[in-house]
Amino acid sequence: FTGLLASSVWDLGDGTMVSNAYVLWHSYTSTGRYDVVLRAANQDGVVTAAASVLVRAEAVVHVAMSGNDAHDGLSWAFPKLTIQAAIDVCPSGGVVLVTNGTYGLGGRVAGGALTNRVLVERGIAVRSVNGPAVTFISGRRATNAPGYADAARGVYLAAGTSLTGFTVTNGWTLATNSPAGDGCGGGVWCESAEAVLSNCIVVANHASTFGGGVYGGLLRSCVLAANVASNAGGGAAASRLVNCSVLGNSALQGGGTISATNLNTILYYNA
């Protein structure tokens, strides 16, 4: 099988068929095992690839501005108030579901000295209900305290975790990068390429070294705007960006991005 692809069909195993899609997202409505088959064709013939997908019920912890961290978070009737409190009780691989509001309380330190407003770990996915226009995570702008000791980054994403559908703003780092990483990623620090940020707006964050908006990770369909890095990578540093927009960010080097891979990504008005 050589040459250009002429057509393709996905059979997702639940009666759903999708034609000519290079990238595909699909939500199954029931748990169980599904056999997924992709058939691709051109003038040379047809090739087929198959995989089995296991869909399990997710453990979900709920967060709302009307909540209380003393609640169990297992329903919208008894939600947690802070995202971090929900993460702390969420089982590994579970979901924290967050409804509308600005979440600027709580936080954890991850190895260094910098507070993260939200520290996501243990394979947990944090998702908003209604998207970034109405769901905000706010860090804390540093004052003149020595070394910006009162600063708070927006989000820390450990390997295998994800954040979907938030605006992350007002995150700051410490004045230096020691301990390692505490000066990078004012809005979001991603521990590895397996940390994923999707459908998020990262705006008006500050890093003392690299990645004013985001450091590391995989970014899908995100907007990075008006972030600042004192050194390099105003919008993002060492990240992989897919279908993103990077605008109005600034740094001494790489106002938009630095040491990053930009795929189908627009960069403009960065300085």
Side-chain angles (χ1 to χ4, degrees):
F1 189 96
T2 59
L4 297 176
L5 177 67
S7 65
S8 65
V9 176
W10 292 85
D11 180 347
L12 299 176
D14 63 349
T16 302
M17 308 288 287
V18 180
S19 299
N20 301 321
Y22 291 101
V23 180
L24 185 63
W25 286 269
H26 180 67
S27 295
Y28 291 94
T29 58
S30 301
T31 58
R33 189 172 294 278
Y34 297 88
D35 294 321
V36 178
V37 179
L38 172 63
R39 295 179 178 86
N42 69 3
Q43 68 273 11
D44 293 333
V46 178
V47 294
T48 300
S52 182
V53 176
L54 178 62
V55 179
R56 303 184 214 185
E58 294 177 317
V60 179
V61 182
H62 302 78
V63 181
M65 296 299 295
S66 60
N68 187 316
D69 282 346
H71 291 165
D72 59 21
L74 298 181
S75 70
W76 287 120
F78 297 99
K80 296 285 189 182
L81 172 62
T82 65
I83 298 173
Q84 191 60 55
I87 293 168
D88 290 345
V89 301
C90 186
S92 297
V95 174
V96 171
L97 199 57
V98 184
T99 194
N100 304 10
T102 298
Y103 296 87
L105 298 174
R108 289 285 183 274
V109 173
L114 176 63
T115 295
N116 304 278
R117 182 66 67 215
V118 175
L119 168 59
V120 191
E121 55 188 349
R122 305 191 316 279
I124 291 170
V126 180
R127 303 172 187 162
S128 74
V129 176
N130 294 310
V134 291
T135 321
F136 299 81
I137 295 172
S138 179
R140 182 170 59 239
R141 181 184 179 94
T143 65
N144 291 323
Y148 296 164
D150 57 344
R153 176 191 282 130
V155 179
Y156 183 112
L157 290 178
T161 66
S162 63
L163 185 79
T164 303
F166 289 84
T167 291
V168 181
T169 189
N170 203 39
W172 278 61
T173 69
L174 300 186
T176 68
N177 209 31
S178 179
D182 277 357
C184 297
V188 182
W189 164 275
C190 297
E191 190 176 273
S192 77
E194 285 72 48
V196 181
L197 197 67
S198 301
N199 188 31
C200 286
I201 299 171
V202 183
V203 59
N205 300 282
H206 180 275
S208 299
T209 55
F210 303 99
V214 181
Y215 185 92
L218 170 62
L219 284 63
R220 293 193 182 113
S221 302
C222 293
V223 176
L224 311 182
N227 301 288
V228 178
S230 296
N231 193 329
S239 303
R240 181 178 176 88
L241 294 85
V242 182
N243 298 330
C244 294
S245 295
V246 183
L247 64 149
N249 305 281
S250 60
L252 286 179
Q253 302 177 65
T257 65
I258 197 165
S259 301
T261 301
N262 303 314
L263 301 175
N264 198 32
T265 288
I266 301 172
L267 295 90
Y268 56 105
Y269 299 131
N270 300 289

